Amino acid sequence: MQEISSRYNPKETQDKWYKFWEENGYFSASSNPSKKPFSIVIPPPNVTGILHMGHALNNTIQDILIRYHRMRGEESLWMPGTDHAGIATQNVVEKSLAKEGLKRQDLGREKFIERVWEWKEEYGSTIIQQLKKIGASCDWERIRFTMDEEYSLAVKTAFVKLWDKGLIYKDKRIINWCPRCQTALSDEEAPHRQMQGNLYYMRYPLKSNPRNFVVVATTRPETMLGDTAVAVNPKDKRYKKLIGERLILPLTGRQIEIISDGMVEAKFGTGAVKVTPAHDPNDYILGKKHNLEFINVMHPDGRMNDRAGDYAGMDRFEARQVILEDLKEKGLLEKVEPHDLSAGHCYRCHTVIEPYLSRQWFVKMAPLAKPAISAVKSGKIEFYPKRWTKVYLNWMENIQDWCISRQIWWGHRIPLWYCNDCKKLAIAALSKPSVCGICKSSNLKQEEDVLDTWFSSWLWPFATFGWPFSSEDAVKNSQNKEDLKYFYPSSTLVTAPEIIFFWVARMIMAGFEFMGDLPFRDVYIHGTVRDTEGKKMSKSLGNSIDPVEIINEYGADALRFSLISITAQGQDVFLSRERFEQGRNFANKIWNASRFILMNLDPANARGDLCVFFKKEQLQLVDRWILSRFFSTLKQIDNYLDNYRFNEAANSLYSFFWREFCDWYLELIKPDIKNRQHQLVMYKILEKFLRILHPFMPFVTEEIWHLVCQLSKAPAEKSSIMTTKLPHLQKQIIDPDSEEKMERVFELISTIRNIRSELEIPPTQQVSATVYTAKKESQDLFQLNSLHIKYLGRLERLEFAKSYRQSPGKFATVFKDMHIVIPLEGLIDVRRHKEKITKKMQKTSLEIKVKKKMLANKSFIQRAPEEVVRREEEKLKELTLNLGKLKGVKDGLS
RNA sequence: GGGCUCAUAGCUCAGUUGGUUAGAGCGCUUCCUUGACAUGGAAGAGGUCUCAGGUUCAAGUCCUGAUGGGCUCACCA
């Protein structure tokens, strides 16, 4: 037999097996009516993406589900792809251009887009390669990109359909504007963040009496240049008389009016608020309501414009400082107070958002939200953990119209055409119309803006299948249609909480709108990966652990297993490097246990059907026990995975294999390892365990699978563990009686080991022991298993007797209803031993007291289930017996 | 301000519907290199389950409140 290393070396196996799987087409899936479908669409990572722990967790979960269902015999499709990530990608490419001293405008739109494509070709597959490293079994032949030609058609189609329904409109309003990226953003793309700022109290002189003024408080003094009113609450007595009066706006000399509106909070600041309708969403509302002028004082890049007078050309924050100085100089700055505020930040470049008045395209969301709300309310779509349902519904029920136009170049250009001649109409069409519908002019121009990236991602669950099937290839179309019909709706969506609004909610809306059906049934939201201090792992914080590094150092299986074993119920995951040792050690343990089995297994014994072989009483207790434990575990795994309880599944696999199979079973059978029964059982357990573990640790299981098959010469299984089925759950083998009995044997062994340890008996020294028990059943059990007890307890003799009689000089202890006596004349520290016994007696007495009290309670007897009462009674009996025995032992010592 | 979430061993966390002795990994102590594995084995120490009430025969688990973290949404300038 070939030498097998005593250490599992993941580096030697990972790439080899991944290639093997891919080349054999084990990942591919297509509609197959004879099987049940199972499908997942990957949350497409950005093309600019580099694998981080969040991806590793997200994709490990998906891979476990996919591999598990695949091995359950379901036609399992994991649809992969990447997202063109408009702003993010454009930013990356602009940065690389900047190194050449170029701006995108220097290249022009077309050339720039070409550059982005080039960039994508060169770097865009980095994350895909990394996904392969963690073992992701996606159907790579289907890989999609949200800017693919086919996919673009889906985007345009969706737009035109919404347009035709009247759900798309243009409006001039305050939107979130990123002055750095110079584009509009949706509300979701401009998350609010707490900031330390100031509240500046500024004096606005009254026109009627410039020595008097109204003081307004603001966090953004620079916007004062665009003020067109000051508003107060109509009920505010301080200002009642001043309503309708005019103020002189400092630094500009412009006159503005004092208006009143219920929106103004009298309690905040001074109760008088400056109104800047072009630079604040609330002020915008006031402006509309009171017919105020809208003065935009900023350029799109955040510099002040000509309307800002002397401050024109300054950056908004620079202008703030200068304005404050000027006001101060004029005695118009009353005071400055520290004030915490929250402001929107660009989710791509983190620049402070400017609420900015501009004309943008919007989607009316209320009609789309309707079916998406009821699908979740009715339970057709379920969130795991449940609590996200509320988050989702809350957002959905208060949904705002979606700003979908972006002033960037990289993305799906909005499929709208304007007539340069009559300028009357915008036409939405999949391709350029030949003439204007009104004036018949052919002088048409396409909208410059592109669509929000998420306007393409929300179509992902069906657009990836080729929807709307307008390809010229009829065969391809019909295959696509069939696949979509078969795999849609997908089974489970696995994603992170921060993406619920961006993507999950919108996919649900798009699913109903364009497919007339939900896009997926279950949504599993996993936690955020954090460092041990609770900070979110991110490159910018420098606290991230690179998954690829972990794969190199510990192995992909270790990465997967360690991640999954701490992913409880969608709780956040706190990670430190050491955490991956657990996974590495586990892989190594499996490796060595397999090695041990291979070294000791006679291949002839590996053949045979367990079911046929297993006739109830034929097998020894140990074998019945381990088989029962295996199938109990298997049953649990099914249950755990069906409920997305990944950590519990991982942990029960771990403890079954390590604690029960290795520490107990293999140790127990060592002296009798050539026994035919043991041989078959240990082989079968290993072989079955590998299969159930495979979804979690695909590489090490595949590697061992081949070693095992080689030895057992089972040719049918020679191909790949991936193509096998999960072990069939044989419920009749689950045997609580064996489990309970074996448990008692273990307890006895542990007690003996404990005694040895207490007495500091060297492991090499054999001793003899006598177990006194009045119960015949117990005696039989231990007698039957005395070989095991002797072996693991390192006993040369094990004897049984009925009634215990103290004999000085022997060590005695009480275990359950028994005495265990080890003769060790002269070696016992009587005093210490006595102390131990006393301590034990105290504990027992206390327990007895509690139980007695409990059983004396009439309500307990009346109301608790009979079974519980009986159990307590028995327990009390045992404890009392125990106490008596302990006392006997103690007395015998003196 | 609303909502969600967490508080359990030295650390990081499990603990499904309330019911024997509250678990794991890491860390710690003692012992062991015995032919699967020291990335290992055996034994052990360590917890008033944040606090205060309540429901119940019975609460780590359910309810209310408090305290302290975290997340998220929101138009107090």
Side-chain angles (χ1 to χ4, degrees):
Chain A
M1 195 179 109
Q2 74 191 78
E3 266 312 299
I4 304 174
S5 156
S6 70
R7 294 228 173 147
Y8 170 57
N9 186 349
K11 279 190 185 158
E12 283 171 11
T13 65
Q14 288 168 176
D15 293 345
K16 173 180 74 180
W17 292 123
Y18 198 88
K19 209 173 142 211
F20 174 71
W21 296 329
E22 221 184 342
E23 281 173 357
N24 281 286
Y26 295 149
F27 300 158
S28 70
S30 58
S31 68
N32 177 353
S34 66
K35 283 177 160 185
K36 207 178 136 194
F38 181 86
S39 63
I40 294 180
V41 292
I42 202 169
N46 293 350
V47 269
T48 53
I50 291 169
L51 195 81
H52 56 64
M53 274 301 166
H55 291 124
L57 174 63
N58 177 255
N59 290 289
T60 295
I61 291 171
Q62 294 178 76
D63 197 47
I64 288 172
L65 287 172
I66 280 287
R67 285 179 187 268
Y68 177 73
H69 284 273
R70 193 184 283 129
M71 287 175 71
R72 249 193 190 181
E74 293 161 36
E75 186 70 19
S76 301
L77 170 66
W78 188 4
M79 174 75 79
T82 48
D83 193 300
H84 71 277
I87 301 171
T89 308
Q90 173 157 325
N91 284 350
V92 168
V93 177
E94 280 187 301
K95 252 185 212 162
S96 83
L97 275 181
K99 280 181 197 156
E100 302 165 31
L102 291 171
K103 282 187 184 157
R104 71 175 209 254
Q105 287 80 0
D106 298 333
L107 296 185
R109 187 166 189 147
E110 257 177 59
K111 278 259 162 3
F112 177 75
I113 290 173
E114 261 172 46
R115 275 295 285 259
V116 182
W117 277 108
E118 280 166 24
W119 186 93
K120 190 250 171 189
E121 290 314 314
E122 192 163 350
Y123 304 105
S125 63
T126 304
I127 192 147
I128 299 300
Q129 297 313 318
Q130 292 172 322
L131 286 175
K132 291 182 176 183
K133 276 207 163 295
I134 70 170
S137 60
C138 301
D139 186 352
W140 296 112
E141 285 160 30
R142 291 178 184 267
I143 191 162
R144 298 285 186 269
F145 179 50
T146 53
M147 283 286 281
D148 283 344
E149 205 176 315
E150 218 176 44
Y151 201 101
S152 299
L153 182 68
V155 174
K156 281 185 260 185
T157 305
F159 184 92
V160 172
K161 278 179 183 265
L162 292 177
W163 175 271
D164 289 344
K165 274 182 110 177
L167 292 178
I168 289 181
Y169 65 94
K170 192 173 207 177
D171 194 21
K172 188 176 182 182
R173 65 167 77 155
I174 301 264
I175 45 85
N176 299 296
W177 182 265
C178 175
R180 205 218 62 85
C181 301
Q182 293 204 44
T183 179
L185 297 169
S186 67
D187 294 341
E188 291 68 40
E189 290 171 314
H192 282 69
R193 266 197 240 141
Q194 284 298 122
M195 289 170 72
Q196 258 192 352
N198 291 315
L199 199 52
Y200 303 93
Y201 290 76
M202 310 190 299
R203 293 170 173 163
Y204 286 11
L206 279 162
K207 191 203 166 197
S208 57
N209 181 0
R211 288 193 179 172
N212 285 342
F213 27 69
V214 169
V215 181
V216 296
T218 182
T219 54
R220 297 194 300 150
E222 68 280 9
T223 63
M224 61 90 60
L225 301 170
D227 284 1
T228 52
V230 164
V232 298
N233 190 294
K235 287 180 190 158
D236 194 333
K237 286 181 189 128
R238 294 172 293 179
Y239 299 110
K240 223 164 191 171
K241 284 178 288 184
L242 296 173
I243 296 167
E245 286 236 24
R246 299 190 80 78
L247 297 165
I248 297 168
L249 188 63
L251 311 179
T252 68
R254 207 148 37 77
Q255 291 186 18
I256 57 176
E257 198 181 306
I258 300 177
I259 60 170
S260 72
D261 195 289
M263 265 175 80
V264 180
E265 227 20 271
K267 282 178 194 139
F268 188 88
T270 60
V273 56
K274 61 191 265 320
V275 183
T276 324
H279 288 278
D280 183 275
N282 281 321
D283 294 4
Y284 177 81
I285 295 167
L286 283 176
K288 280 269 179 196
K289 206 164 148 190
H290 296 269
N291 248 324
L292 302 174
E293 202 187 337
F294 292 73
I295 302 178
N296 181 353
V297 295
M298 260 178 234
H299 287 300
D301 63 358
R303 283 175 309 118
M304 308 309 285
N305 66 18
D306 294 346
R307 297 296 298 266
D310 296 345
Y311 306 93
M314 290 182 197
D315 175 76
R316 52 187 172 149
F317 296 120
E318 186 194 351
R320 176 182 297 180
Q321 294 314 316
V322 179
I323 286 169
L324 286 169
E325 271 166 38
D326 290 352
L327 286 172
K328 204 169 171 186
E329 199 175 296
K330 291 184 172 17
L332 295 176
L333 184 63
E334 186 162 295
K335 60 173 173 175
V336 181
E337 279 176 355
H339 180 73
D340 287 335
L341 67 144
S342 74
H345 287 69
C346 173
Y347 82 138
R348 288 304 182 207
C349 74
H350 313 296
T351 302
V352 178
I353 285 304
E354 194 59 36
Y356 199 64
L357 188 61
S358 84
R359 219 179 279 281
Q360 301 289 341
W361 289 100
F362 295 87
V363 182
K364 274 186 204 158
M365 297 307 276
L368 299 181
K370 243 179 147 183
I373 290 169
S374 52
V376 169
K377 275 192 172 161
S378 69
K380 273 172 85 182
I381 296 176
E382 277 185 280
F383 280 85
Y384 294 82
K386 262 214 301 283
R387 68 185 135 97
W388 294 109
T389 310
K390 226 173 151 179
V391 176
Y392 167 88
L393 285 174
N394 186 45
W395 184 80
M396 220 26 134
E397 281 165 354
N398 297 295
I399 198 158
Q400 303 295 309
D401 285 352
W402 178 12
C403 175
I404 50 168
S405 44
R406 300 288 175 274
Q407 288 65 51
I408 56 171
W409 287 348
W410 174 242
H412 301 278
R413 195 157 168 183
I414 296 180
L416 275 176
W417 278 264
Y418 304 103
C419 174
N420 277 334
D421 290 334
C422 73
K423 298 194 158 92
K424 278 192 182 135
L425 200 64
I427 312 158
L430 297 177
S431 54
K432 188 177 179 180
S434 48
V435 291
C436 164
I438 298 224
C439 71
K440 307 295 174 202
S441 159
S442 59
N443 185 9
L444 301 176
K445 180 182 83 181
Q446 189 176 0
E447 166 68 55
E448 294 283 331
D449 289 356
V450 301
L451 289 161
D452 181 2
T453 292
W454 301 97
F455 192 91
S456 51
S457 327
W458 74 331
L459 312 173
W460 190 249
F462 48 91
T464 44
F465 285 94
W467 181 90
F469 317 113
S470 322
S471 151
E472 318 224 314
D473 187 339
V475 179
K476 194 173 155 197
N477 272 350
S478 87
Q479 181 62 46
N480 275 343
K481 269 184 198 168
E482 231 172 83
D483 283 347
L484 180 65
K485 203 172 144 199
Y486 181 74
F487 288 114
Y488 188 97
S490 65
S491 314
T492 304
L493 181 79
V494 178
T495 193
E498 61 263 28
I499 219 156
I500 292 177
F501 306 143
F502 276 121
W503 194 49
V504 180
R506 287 178 183 149
M507 276 191 289
I508 296 174
M509 291 188 278
F512 283 105
E513 180 64 22
F514 302 113
M515 293 292 297
D517 201 358
L518 59 161
F520 31 71
R521 294 192 185 84
D522 291 352
V523 180
Y524 177 72
I525 306 285
H526 60 247
T528 306
V529 179
R530 301 174 184 284
D531 66 13
T532 45
E533 278 165 31
K535 290 203 191 86
K536 188 172 167 175
M537 274 196 188
S538 75
K539 237 165 79 183
S540 52
L541 279 173
N543 62 348
S544 56
I545 301 173
D546 178 5
V548 176
E549 231 173 76
I550 297 296
I551 290 172
N552 291 334
E553 198 172 325
Y554 298 90
D557 291 324
L559 172 79
R560 293 167 63 114
F561 193 84
S562 290
L563 273 178
I564 223 66
S565 73
I566 44 173
T567 308
Q569 289 276 33
Q571 289 297 344
D572 286 352
V573 173
F574 290 72
L575 263 191
S576 63
R577 260 192 126 70
E578 301 79 62
R579 189 75 214 193
F580 296 103
E581 285 173 11
Q582 189 199 4
R584 178 198 60 185
N585 295 356
F586 188 40
N588 193 58
K589 187 72 185 179
I590 296 160
W591 178 257
N592 275 295
S594 308
R595 207 172 128 231
F596 171 74
I597 291 169
L598 288 171
M599 284 163 68
N600 289 287
L601 182 69
D602 175 354
N605 288 333
R607 285 178 227 130
D609 189 324
L610 197 57
C611 281
V612 175
F613 199 91
F614 179 68
K615 299 255 164 41
K616 268 209 168 157
E617 307 310 327
Q618 256 179 346
L619 287 177
Q620 287 185 23
L621 179 64
V622 256
D623 293 319
R624 265 184 286 148
W625 167 76
I626 196 67
L627 285 166
S628 175
R629 287 303 307 141
F630 175 77
F631 286 105
S632 300
T633 306
L634 186 64
K635 195 176 158 192
Q636 277 185 328
I637 302 298
D638 279 345
N639 178 38
Y640 287 146
L641 286 187
D642 284 345
N643 291 291
Y644 305 103
R645 303 173 76 91
F646 297 100
N647 67 318
E648 293 182 60
N651 292 333
S652 74
L653 287 168
Y654 182 92
S655 72
F656 166 76
F657 191 82
W658 201 316
R659 304 274 88 96
E660 300 187 296
F661 185 59
C662 292
D663 290 350
W664 283 118
Y665 182 77
L666 292 182
E667 292 303 324
L668 281 166
I669 64 166
K670 261 183 189 169
D672 194 18
I673 189 93
K674 293 297 173 192
N675 174 295
R676 176 84 176 82
Q677 291 180 0
H678 296 335
Q679 291 259 308
L680 181 63
V681 170
M682 86 181 171
Y683 168 71
K684 286 289 178 187
I685 296 276
L686 175 68
E687 175 271 325
K688 284 174 192 296
F689 179 78
L690 288 174
R691 282 187 277 148
I692 184 61
L693 184 68
H694 179 262
F696 297 81
M697 303 180 100
F699 295 106
V700 68
T701 49
E702 181 75 285
E703 176 73 13
I704 298 169
W705 184 258
H706 287 260
L707 296 175
V708 168
C709 289
Q710 207 175 9
L711 190 77
S712 69
K713 292 185 189 122
E717 299 165 326
K718 218 170 174 180
S719 54
S720 165
I721 193 169
M722 263 197 78
T723 59
T724 66
K725 289 244 173 80
L726 289 178
H728 171 62
L729 175 57
Q730 293 169 273
K731 287 202 182 107
Q732 77 283 2
I733 296 183
I734 296 177
D735 177 9
D737 181 58
S738 306
E739 293 195 17
E740 189 266 335
K741 278 191 174 131
M742 208 58 214
E743 219 41 62
R744 279 160 64 200
V745 174
F746 293 154
E747 277 179 340
L748 179 59
I749 293 170
S750 295
T751 307
I752 292 166
R753 284 169 163 178
N754 177 296
I755 295 168
R756 296 186 60 108
S757 179
E758 286 293 330
L759 297 178
E760 289 170 7
I761 301 169
T764 43
Q765 189 177 339
Q766 302 255 323
V767 293
S768 50
T770 311
V771 173
Y772 293 85
T773 172
K775 275 193 197 158
K776 175 147 194 319
E777 193 259 330
S778 294
Q779 192 178 323
D780 289 349
L781 174 66
F782 296 136
Q783 189 92 60
L784 209 62
N785 292 280
S786 68
L787 265 177
H788 296 136
I789 298 167
K790 273 156 73 180
Y791 178 63
L792 291 187
R794 298 200 173 268
L795 303 174
E796 53 189 357
R797 271 196 1 240
L798 177 62
E799 287 168 355
F800 298 93
K802 269 193 182 143
S803 55
Y804 168 67
R805 294 238 317 275
Q806 61 213 36
S807 46
K810 290 191 177 179
F811 179 90
T813 193
V814 173
F815 165 63
K816 297 238 159 155
D817 57 346
M818 297 166 259
H819 285 92
I820 297 166
V821 175
I822 291 177
L824 260 188
E825 263 99 334
L827 275 179
I828 310 164
D829 182 338
V830 175
R831 231 187 62 203
R832 221 176 102 198
H833 188 46
K834 225 169 165 178
E835 269 169 32
K836 288 248 169 200
I837 300 275
T838 311
K839 215 174 150 190
K840 223 168 166 181
M841 282 174 75
Q842 280 167 352
K843 209 183 148 197
T844 311
S845 307
L846 197 75
E847 274 182 73
I848 288 173
K849 220 172 122 189
V850 172
K851 294 272 179 261
K852 272 188 175 162
K853 202 178 155 196
M854 197 184 221
L855 288 161
N857 186 339
K858 274 179 197 153
S859 326
F860 173 70
I861 306 288
Q862 270 167 19
R863 304 203 188 189
E866 224 178 290
E867 195 200 318
V868 174
V869 177
R870 222 192 46 234
R871 212 161 51 203
E872 292 302 326
E873 276 168 347
E874 262 169 37
K875 181 84 192 164
L876 177 64
K877 230 192 259 171
E878 196 188 309
L879 284 168
T880 315
L881 212 67
N882 237 330
L883 187 67
K885 295 205 158 136
L886 283 166
K887 193 165 179 298
V889 171
K890 192 180 165 191
D891 292 346
L893 278 171
S894 36

